[in-house]
Amino acid sequence: MRRFLNRVRTSSPSLAALGIVERSAAGAHASLIAKGWAEIGYGYHGSVHAHPDHPDIVVRLARKADGFGDYAALLRKGFKGSDGPHAPRIYDLQVSRCGALMTVGSRLADPKPDTWWLAYAHAVLADHPSVAMDQGVRDRFKVEWPAHEPKIDHPSFDGIREDFRAAWPGFEAYVATLRSAAPRALDPNIGNVLVGQDGNPVVNDPLCDDGVGLWRSPLSRLPTRFGDVLRRLAGTSFGRAPAAA
């Protein structure tokens, strides 16, 4: 088991302090359930767990170190706004030898469907604030948030942008910094903007699932990068091979 060095806050709740010992991809989920950590959410790679004795935190388990691990590493490093109300708190992060990722973080809540800023918060993730929303994103908003469908010819998204900036002026700068720190496309799916205990929107899991391993040292990332290059070259070579007669 490799410990994540220089944890975000050494005085904050850790997996060890919570009595969570089993952290493998195969056995951690069952162990969490047995210890009273009920599953309250799940995604492509894993699940989120909460315990009645620890109402302010959650434990997130992923079968592999995904984009959330990269996000946690960026938060640990720190950038503009990462210590503000729009970023989750990551108290502990550990990766097993088999690549399973487990974190302890602040507990967040789902916003109500009629939350006035929700559509625009996702619009900031989906597009740069200075450009119009993509029609595909706009169509998805129409289904999810019919009351807040932005008009195609309205650059301020029906006034939501102005109200949003007045209420939480640091949110867009935070996302812009995140986009520049991790230039891959951000993920605007439902659940990636949640609500903190203070009522502010929190960018929960904005990076793509295929993480690049920012939680590891630069040296340990070299083999992965080399392997990715080889796979791309092999794919290109196979793609140019003549078809069988």
Side-chain angles (χ1 to χ4, degrees):
M1 185 69 64
R2 290 196 301 268
R3 291 188 62 81
F4 185 74
L5 301 179
N6 299 322
R7 291 178 308 195
V8 174
R9 294 183 180 180
T10 56
S11 61
S12 300
S14 65
L15 291 166
L18 295 171
I20 300 174
V21 178
E22 176 58 62
R23 300 162 192 169
S24 68
H29 187 275
S31 178
L32 285 169
I33 298 298
K35 291 180 178 294
W37 288 90
E39 182 178 308
I40 62 171
Y42 63 92
Y44 290 113
H45 301 304
S47 51
V48 178
H49 300 260
H51 197 287
D53 293 341
H54 307 281
D56 297 331
I57 61 175
V58 294
V59 172
R60 182 183 185 274
L61 167 67
R63 292 186 296 274
K64 68 174 186 176
D66 55 5
F68 188 82
D70 288 342
Y71 186 41
L74 290 172
L75 292 173
R76 168 187 171 273
K77 182 179 180 181
F79 56 92
K80 184 178 181 180
S82 62
D83 59 347
H86 307 304
R89 297 291 172 262
I90 307 298
Y91 303 122
D92 194 6
L93 189 157
Q94 296 188 21
V95 182
S96 69
R97 294 187 182 278
C98 61
L101 170 72
M102 189 176 287
T103 58
V104 180
S106 56
R107 184 166 183 173
L108 305 171
D110 291 326
K112 296 179 180 179
D114 59 349
T115 300
W116 67 269
W117 49 259
L118 188 57
Y120 185 68
H122 284 272
V124 176
L125 291 183
D127 293 287
H128 192 277
S130 65
V131 300
M133 279 197 296
D134 177 83
Q135 186 58 45
V137 175
R138 195 180 294 274
D139 290 342
R140 182 169 59 193
F141 285 175
K142 183 176 180 179
V143 174
E144 297 292 340
W145 302 294
H148 302 302
E149 179 192 359
K151 297 178 181 178
I152 293 178
D153 58 350
H154 200 303
S156 67
F157 301 96
D158 293 343
I160 296 177
R161 174 181 292 176
E162 287 75 9
D163 292 339
F164 190 92
R165 283 175 170 168
W168 297 293
F171 181 84
E172 289 176 314
Y174 172 80
V175 174
T177 305
L178 179 64
R179 185 179 284 109
S180 64
R184 292 189 179 193
L186 300 185
D187 185 358
N189 286 336
I190 308 302
N192 289 351
V193 177
L194 299 177
V195 178
Q197 295 183 358
D198 57 3
N200 278 317
V202 175
V203 182
N204 178 51
D205 186 8
L207 303 185
C208 298
D209 288 327
D210 52 342
V212 296
L214 298 179
W215 42 269
R216 298 181 297 181
S217 68
L219 182 62
S220 65
R221 292 202 302 269
L222 287 177
T224 301
R225 291 182 176 180
F226 182 68
D228 290 341
V229 171
L230 289 180
R231 282 190 290 272
R232 285 196 298 270
L233 291 175
T236 301
S237 298
F238 288 129
R240 292 179 179 177

